[in-house]
Amino acid sequence: MRVRATVAYHGGTFHGFAPNQGVRTVGGDLIEALTRCLRQPVALTCAGRTDTGVHAWGQVVSFDAPDGTDLPATRSAVNRMLAPAIVIRTIEAAPPGFDARFDATSRTYRYTVLNREVPDPFLSTTAWHYSRPLDLGAMNSAAATIVGQHDFSSFCRRQHSPGGKEKSRVRTVHRAGWEATGPELVQFEIEASSFCHQMVRSITGTLVDIGAGRRSPGAMTTILTARDRSGTPNLAPPHGLSLWSVSYE
């Protein structure tokens, strides 16, 4: 039977999600644990392949399990092996053919910034400490310009298909904005149909530059239309980023 699971993880000790020979990855650990529990090889599909150091609260994966598998027991067994770094939050039988990646209609990422002079050791692995005061109004004004369908070449690393053809960097952003979520904590949330490599971190770094007064809010439109990666050198560090949720019809 096809299975759908929602997974949370702290990405600090992993080299991203995708299985990669010779290094520890979230997907590699999950496959190993599921294979032991189900006593059969497991092919795992995820909604979004997060990079090294990036976290997730709502990553969705799909895989096949033998008919009649006790899914709650499987979740408990996997969590005993992998917690607290990786946890299966929910698990359920899915319709035949369900694909965590291709059936997804959108993904939402959150980026957290600790905006104060003094760092916080308890947030050091999940929030970017940025000491210069940030103007959320300017950041939201700039973020509004990326909503809609655009070519995000200025914010993405180039990637090529197995045949050598350069992949499209046209994406549709449904919403993007900043808000204060706690004492001296600000959070950027962005939802899009999909994301290209380093897109969220590049956008976040540029918006923080704008909030700190290093660029004007109008610079966002100029950068976006230029389709030139060299115009966005400030890449936000990975540890403040989390894949928050994935939407399906």
Side-chain angles (χ1 to χ4, degrees):
M1 64 177 175
R2 185 59 52 90
V3 178
R4 167 179 169 173
T6 303
V7 181
Y9 50 86
H10 189 292
T13 60
F14 297 97
H15 292 263
F17 185 94
N20 191 355
Q21 191 71 29
V23 296
R24 189 184 182 202
T25 68
V26 176
D29 276 19
L30 267 174
I31 289 171
E32 183 179 348
L34 286 167
T35 298
R36 288 176 60 188
C37 290
L38 300 176
R39 299 181 181 180
Q40 69 173 33
V42 171
L44 195 70
T45 299
C46 69
R49 295 191 297 178
T50 52
D51 291 336
T52 298
V54 175
H55 316 296
W57 173 249
Q59 173 74 274
V60 177
V61 299
S62 57
F63 58 93
D64 288 333
D67 288 335
T69 297
D70 186 334
L71 295 181
T74 300
R75 179 181 66 175
S76 297
V78 170
N79 287 348
R80 283 195 298 271
M81 294 181 206
L82 302 182
I86 304 173
V87 172
I88 294 179
R89 293 174 50 215
T90 65
I91 190 168
E92 61 185 346
F98 171 78
D99 188 290
R101 177 185 177 190
F102 292 110
D103 288 347
T105 56
S106 70
R107 289 93 170 152
T108 298
Y109 279 86
R110 285 185 180 180
Y111 197 100
T112 303
V113 177
L114 176 63
N115 188 212
R116 71 182 191 193
E117 183 180 356
V118 180
D120 185 333
F122 294 102
L123 295 174
S124 62
T125 64
T126 56
W128 178 17
H129 173 239
Y130 194 88
S131 59
R132 190 166 178 166
L134 295 174
D135 181 348
L136 289 190
M139 295 159 78
N140 276 324
S141 176
T145 66
I146 65 171
V147 175
Q149 186 179 80
H150 304 282
D151 185 327
F152 284 91
S153 294
S154 294
F155 299 99
C156 301
R157 290 184 63 181
R158 290 185 177 181
Q159 292 181 292
H160 295 82
S161 65
K165 184 179 180 180
E166 190 170 313
K167 292 182 178 180
S168 171
R169 282 159 284 178
V170 174
R171 299 292 189 272
T172 301
V173 173
H174 302 306
R175 58 189 177 89
W178 290 84
E179 66 173 346
T181 58
E184 301 163 321
L185 281 173
V186 294
Q187 198 168 74
F188 176 56
E189 187 164 291
I190 180 168
E191 180 185 3
S193 55
S194 61
F195 295 88
C196 45
H197 193 208
Q198 295 186 343
M199 177 175 162
V200 180
R201 291 170 57 201
S202 184
I203 290 172
T204 302
T206 303
L207 291 173
V208 166
D209 274 352
I210 290 169
R214 300 181 188 275
R215 301 174 187 251
S216 70
M220 200 70 176
T221 299
T222 302
I223 294 168
L224 181 65
T225 56
R227 301 179 186 176
D228 182 3
R229 187 76 168 87
S230 65
T232 55
N234 186 16
L235 189 67
H239 67 273
L241 183 61
S242 180
L243 173 55
W244 197 252
S245 64
V246 183
S247 296
Y248 296 88
E249 289 186 356

